[in-house]
Amino acid sequence: MPSGKILVYSNRKVALLTYQTGEEDYLPDDPYAVRTYPASASSAMLPLKRGDDGEWDATVMYCGGANIQNNEWNGTLIDVQADKSCIKISEKTRQWEIEDELPEGRVMGNAIHLPDGTILVVNGAGRGVAGYADYTQPWGNDDSLADDPVLTPVIYDPARPQGSRWNRDGLKASTIPRMYHSTATLLPDGSVMISGSNPHQDVALDKFYPTEYAVEIFYPLYYNQRRPNPSGVPDRLGYGGNPFNLNFTSDDLNTGMSGSTGTDNASKIKVVLMKTGFSTHALNFGMRALELEVSYTVNTGDGSIVLHVNQLPTNPALFPPGNAWIFTVVDGVPSLGKQIMIGSGNIEQQKTEDYQSLPPVTIVTGGALNPKPNAAGRTIGGGSVSAVAVVAGAVVVALFGGWL
């Protein structure tokens, strides 16, 4: 979490752990369901983005699991219907907030960040729990402690209005049940690799839910769109320091999911850092998505854009050092991911620098475009320039003629 503490969830208990001292700061219990193994809900830290208050807060969401009471764990768990509630919590609120429900109950679902800012949920079952049966659990389905596989993926979009954040329009169902020991992970082309399922003690190919060796690829709706390919993508980013520029041609901007094209997409460009994490048991440990702050300079003459991008915030707890993927996203369509290094890449105290202010949004009409922030924080370019800046929540528009 941003404080450096670890959010710990066990059964229905939740606490912030200061791992250096072992101190536990308890938060309210989960009011709806058990989310941890073997109830195994889908969970993810929502994409990190600087808030209107200037702070970087982290919110963790849990969806699904099973509403099992303490006295029910010795019962026939395969008959327990999976829960469909979703809740979220942050260090700032310290209270559970209700999120939109899943379309159906799901246990053992994998929640995977996509570079467009949405979260894909795949795999899992509609009833039961994770694990496999032994002689004390004769009620399992051929070893499996879960049944009714959920085959159709669903996508969560935190940017949509509450009540409409889950969507599966245009998404096709798999034909392969993915139960206990299933995994999923983002690939650098923006697709998702899905594999596994083995609710047995060992390899079992003749069971109702057999050991699964087939691998599937999920292709999001943006996959076949024209991908942006800006120049200037760095090999390393730090915590604070000087912004960098990405150069988008008019071709890079002629894509998108909403129908807008060209420089109309200037305000719809995002730069996203992704850590895929390590996938096991319906969890992707260490998975993160962080949207860097940007501003831009538009050249209406040739339809190009220079995107000014800030480094990471100066708090390494938000996005730990090491390898990450960087994506540029134009109106919901991501570039191919590039692997870069964050910070030193080592487990050590990270160097931080001052977090810089970005140049204002600037429109250059005609002339050459080679923007560089000058001492006054303006952007140098040719022709007639219109600069738009946001200052303390107010929009200030200044028009300049000729050269700056």
Side-chain angles (χ1 to χ4, degrees):
M1 304 298 282
S3 65
K5 297 178 181 179
I6 298 173
L7 181 67
V8 179
Y9 186 121
S10 179
N11 197 6
R12 296 173 187 260
K13 297 291 183 183
V14 186
L16 291 167
L17 171 67
T18 303
Y19 66 90
Q20 298 93 333
T21 64
E23 180 184 357
E24 295 176 328
D25 177 12
Y26 279 89
L27 302 175
D29 290 358
D30 188 322
Y32 298 111
V34 179
R35 316 281 181 176
T36 50
Y37 180 91
S40 301
S42 307
S43 62
M45 181 179 288
L46 297 185
L48 295 161
K49 183 178 180 180
R50 194 179 190 186
D52 294 336
D53 60 0
E55 299 297 322
W56 297 79
D57 192 26
T59 298
V60 178
M61 182 174 72
Y62 298 87
C63 291
N67 185 17
I68 301 174
Q69 303 304 313
N70 287 340
N71 61 356
E72 296 177 334
W73 284 104
N74 290 326
T76 307
L77 297 180
I78 199 169
D79 293 334
V80 175
Q81 293 296 316
D83 195 76
K84 63 179 181 179
S85 68
C86 291
I87 55 175
K88 60 185 181 182
I89 198 167
S90 72
E91 283 187 295
K92 182 183 293 185
T93 64
R94 296 180 60 88
Q95 296 291 329
W96 291 109
E97 299 177 56
I98 298 174
E99 253 296 353
D100 292 359
E101 289 185 339
L102 290 164
E104 65 276 302
R106 190 185 299 239
V107 63
M108 295 183 290
N110 288 90
I112 305 297
H113 279 300
L114 299 180
D116 63 355
T118 62
I119 296 175
L120 170 73
V121 175
V122 295
N123 302 339
R127 61 185 173 96
V129 296
Y132 46 78
D134 59 22
Y135 68 93
T136 68
Q137 299 157 322
W139 37 262
N141 185 352
D142 228 358
D143 292 350
S144 177
L145 299 184
D147 212 341
D148 296 344
V150 183
L151 300 175
T152 305
V154 64
I155 290 177
Y156 170 84
D157 187 349
R160 296 183 68 168
Q162 191 158 14
S164 61
R165 290 177 179 162
W166 291 103
N167 193 301
R168 55 169 43 128
D169 292 347
L171 306 185
K172 296 181 179 179
S174 172
T175 59
I176 302 175
R178 303 281 184 182
M179 314 285 273
Y180 188 47
H181 287 143
S182 298
T183 64
T185 190
L186 179 72
L187 298 178
D189 66 354
S191 64
V192 176
M193 183 177 71
I194 301 167
S195 63
S197 188
N198 187 41
H200 313 288
Q201 291 184 344
D202 205 336
V203 174
L205 302 178
D206 58 347
K207 300 290 187 178
F208 191 81
Y209 296 119
T211 303
E212 186 56 68
Y213 287 101
V215 174
E216 296 174 287
I217 303 294
F218 173 82
Y219 297 98
L221 297 178
Y222 56 64
Y223 190 83
N224 287 326
Q225 300 295 318
R226 199 270 186 204
R227 302 297 190 96
N229 185 29
S231 62
V233 179
D235 296 318
R236 180 183 294 270
L237 291 177
Y239 299 102
N242 293 325
F244 61 95
N245 289 334
L246 298 178
N247 301 290
F248 291 78
T249 67
S250 58
D251 287 340
D252 291 323
L253 302 171
N254 285 328
T255 189
M257 300 299 291
S258 70
S260 60
T261 57
T263 56
D264 289 342
N265 277 332
S267 62
K268 300 178 181 179
I269 302 177
K270 299 189 294 186
V271 179
V272 181
L273 300 177
M274 312 280 289
K275 282 183 176 290
T276 60
F278 304 90
S279 181
T280 182
H281 289 75
L283 290 171
N284 282 61
F285 294 90
M287 183 176 66
R288 296 285 174 96
L290 184 144
E291 182 179 336
L292 297 174
E293 287 196 292
V294 301
S295 67
Y296 54 86
T297 298
V298 173
N299 182 4
T300 61
D302 65 4
S304 65
I305 287 177
V306 174
L307 194 73
H308 315 294
V309 189
N310 234 332
Q311 301 281 332
L312 283 88
T314 57
N315 180 4
L318 284 166
F319 201 92
N323 291 320
W325 296 104
I326 185 170
F327 293 86
T328 56
V329 185
V330 176
D331 189 23
V333 178
S335 65
L336 299 181
K338 175 183 176 180
Q339 191 174 74
I340 64 171
M341 183 60 68
I342 304 299
S344 69
N346 296 321
I347 302 174
E348 62 185 6
Q349 187 73 28
Q350 296 297 304
K351 177 184 176 182
T352 62
E353 301 182 55
D354 290 340
Y355 193 71
Q356 302 295 320
S357 297
L358 291 169
V361 172
T362 304
I363 311 298
V364 178
T365 306
L369 178 57
N370 184 23
K372 300 176 181 177
N374 64 11
R378 291 181 180 175
T379 301
I380 302 172
S384 175
V385 177
S386 169
V388 183
V390 179
V391 181
V395 178
V396 180
V397 180
L399 299 177
F400 306 95
W403 292 90
L404 292 180

